[in-house]
């Protein structure tokens, strides 16, 4: 994708500074084109956010989210210049916990009567069973995490894999709408906090482990996932947050 100015007369000293970034439109399942882009630009850090959501069919979710991730990871580990992949996983990998108390109260907007034991990265991922597409989406993210773990533990592969279990991110960057119940609000992630997390990963790249999972949310009331390792490893301290009152 090439950026061009409209044909409008502008004084030389007023010419805008064009961004140096290059933009490409590419299908993540197009192995040849994806490989050329990574190789030609000597890309060393990949932030993998390509995915279709649970609104798509199970077949499309598996094709893009699983097969596409397979292709990207396979290309990346064969390039000597690739140092790290930040994989956009999802906090939905543990949404199965919301189906039982005390977490299920949040979905009914009922304030929990007891402290919520926080789910950690060491607790097993549990998909929810809302519908087949939602379950397929969650399983595709669990699959991506498993693939990252497998590659990171393979001899001769030096690429670091950081799996970011992203909380709820919306286009409006607003959590006040009545459309959102507290199962969502408690794990909301603002745009600012998402950018801060990415910055912290990049700043700490050299000291990070070969494989790590982080929950990425804002500082929300009744947040039920544990983000302590993000604070300890990255100094990631969310600045925004949804408040009960």
């Amino acid at each position: 994708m090439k950026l061009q100015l409209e044909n409008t007369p502008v004084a030389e000293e007023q010419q805008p500074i064009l961004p140096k970034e290059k933009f490409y439109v590419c299908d993540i399942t197009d192995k040849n084109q994806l490989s050329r882009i990574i190789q030609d630009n000597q890309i060393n850090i990949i932030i993998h956010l390509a995915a279709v959501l649970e609104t798509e069919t199970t077949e499309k979710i598996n094709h893009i989210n699983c097969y596409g991730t397979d292709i990207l990871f396979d290309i990346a580990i064969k390039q000597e210049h690739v140092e790290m992949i930040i994989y956009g996983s999802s906090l939905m990998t543990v949404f199965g916990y919301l189906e039982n108390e005390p977490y299920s109260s949040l979905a009914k907007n009922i304030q929990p009567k007891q402290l919520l034991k926080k789910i950690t990265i060491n607790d097993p991922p549990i998909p929810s069973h809302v519908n087949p597409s939602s379950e397929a989406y969650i399983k595709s993210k669990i699959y991506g995490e498993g693939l990252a773990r497998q590659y990171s533990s393979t001899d001769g592969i030096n690429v670091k894999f950081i799996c970011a279990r992203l909380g709820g991110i919306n286009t409006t960057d607003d959590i006040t709408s009545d459309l959102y119940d507290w199962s969502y609000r408690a794990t909301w992630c603002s745009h600012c906090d998402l950018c801060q997390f990415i910055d912290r990963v990049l700043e700490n790249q050299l000291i990070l482990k070969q494989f790590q999972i982080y929950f990425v949310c804002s500082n929300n009331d009744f947040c039920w996932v544990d983000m302590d390792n993000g604070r300890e490893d990255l100094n990631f301290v969310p600045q925004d947050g949804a408040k009960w009152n």
Side-chain angles (χ1 to χ4, degrees):
M1 181 182 297
K2 185 177 180 181
L3 298 176
Q4 292 182 320
L5 292 176
E6 293 182 359
N7 188 20
T8 304
V10 179
E12 184 174 348
E13 65 274 10
Q14 294 178 332
Q15 286 286 349
I17 299 174
L18 292 178
K20 296 180 180 179
E21 289 81 1
K22 297 179 182 178
F23 296 87
Y24 299 88
V25 176
C26 178
D27 186 333
I28 193 174
T29 63
D30 187 336
K31 185 172 185 177
N32 291 334
Q33 186 181 7
L34 194 58
S35 182
R36 282 196 302 272
I37 292 171
I38 294 172
Q39 178 63 44
D40 291 350
N41 293 279
Q42 293 290 289
I43 292 172
N44 57 3
I45 296 175
I46 297 171
I47 302 177
H48 171 24
L49 301 176
V52 294
L53 301 178
E54 65 271 19
T55 51
E56 297 289 351
T57 64
T58 297
E59 291 74 18
K60 190 167 185 178
I61 291 169
N62 290 335
H63 180 67
I64 302 297
N65 298 11
C66 296
Y67 178 59
T69 298
D70 261 327
I71 289 175
L72 177 61
F73 285 6
D74 185 61
I75 292 170
I77 63 169
K78 294 175 180 176
Q79 307 291 337
E80 292 184 359
H81 48 84
V82 177
E83 301 168 0
M84 180 170 66
I85 297 175
I86 302 174
Y87 170 60
S89 184
S90 173
L91 197 142
M92 289 178 70
T93 55
V94 293
F95 263 26
Y97 290 92
L98 287 170
E99 296 176 1
N100 298 295
E101 290 291 353
Y103 311 101
S104 58
S105 296
L106 293 171
K108 306 169 188 173
N109 290 322
I110 299 173
Q111 188 168 328
K113 296 180 181 179
Q114 62 190 86
L115 289 176
L116 298 178
K117 177 184 178 294
K118 294 198 173 185
I119 306 303
T120 75
I121 60 169
N122 297 315
D123 289 310
I126 301 178
S128 64
H129 304 89
V130 176
N131 57 62
S133 290
S134 178
E135 188 169 353
Y137 173 78
I138 296 170
K139 286 182 176 179
S140 75
K141 294 302 182 179
I142 295 173
Y143 174 84
E145 290 184 359
L147 194 63
R149 187 188 296 273
Q150 176 186 327
Y151 276 131
S152 66
S153 61
T154 301
D155 291 340
I157 295 179
N158 297 316
V159 179
K160 293 184 178 181
F161 288 85
I162 305 301
C163 297
R165 288 181 175 174
L166 304 175
I169 301 170
N170 53 37
T171 55
T172 61
D173 199 27
D174 179 33
I175 198 62
T176 58
S177 170
D178 290 338
L179 294 173
Y180 305 117
D181 61 43
W182 268 93
S183 64
Y184 184 94
R185 293 185 184 187
T187 55
W188 172 64
C189 181
S190 73
H191 296 181
C192 176
D193 287 330
L194 171 61
C195 292
Q196 185 208 156
F197 172 80
I198 297 297
D199 284 344
R200 295 292 180 268
V201 172
L202 299 178
E203 291 167 359
N204 292 280
Q205 177 187 349
L206 295 179
I207 62 174
L208 293 177
K209 299 175 183 177
Q210 287 299 113
F211 174 83
Q212 189 57 279
I213 296 174
Y214 296 102
F215 286 112
V216 186
C217 300
S218 292
N219 184 25
N220 309 307
D221 286 349
F222 298 104
C223 180
W224 48 277
V225 295
D226 187 348
M227 296 191 291
D228 283 353
N229 67 329
R231 186 184 67 253
E232 294 164 1
D233 296 353
L234 309 170
N235 193 29
F236 170 57
V237 181
Q239 301 301 302
D240 298 318
K243 302 305 174 186
W244 190 276
N245 294 314

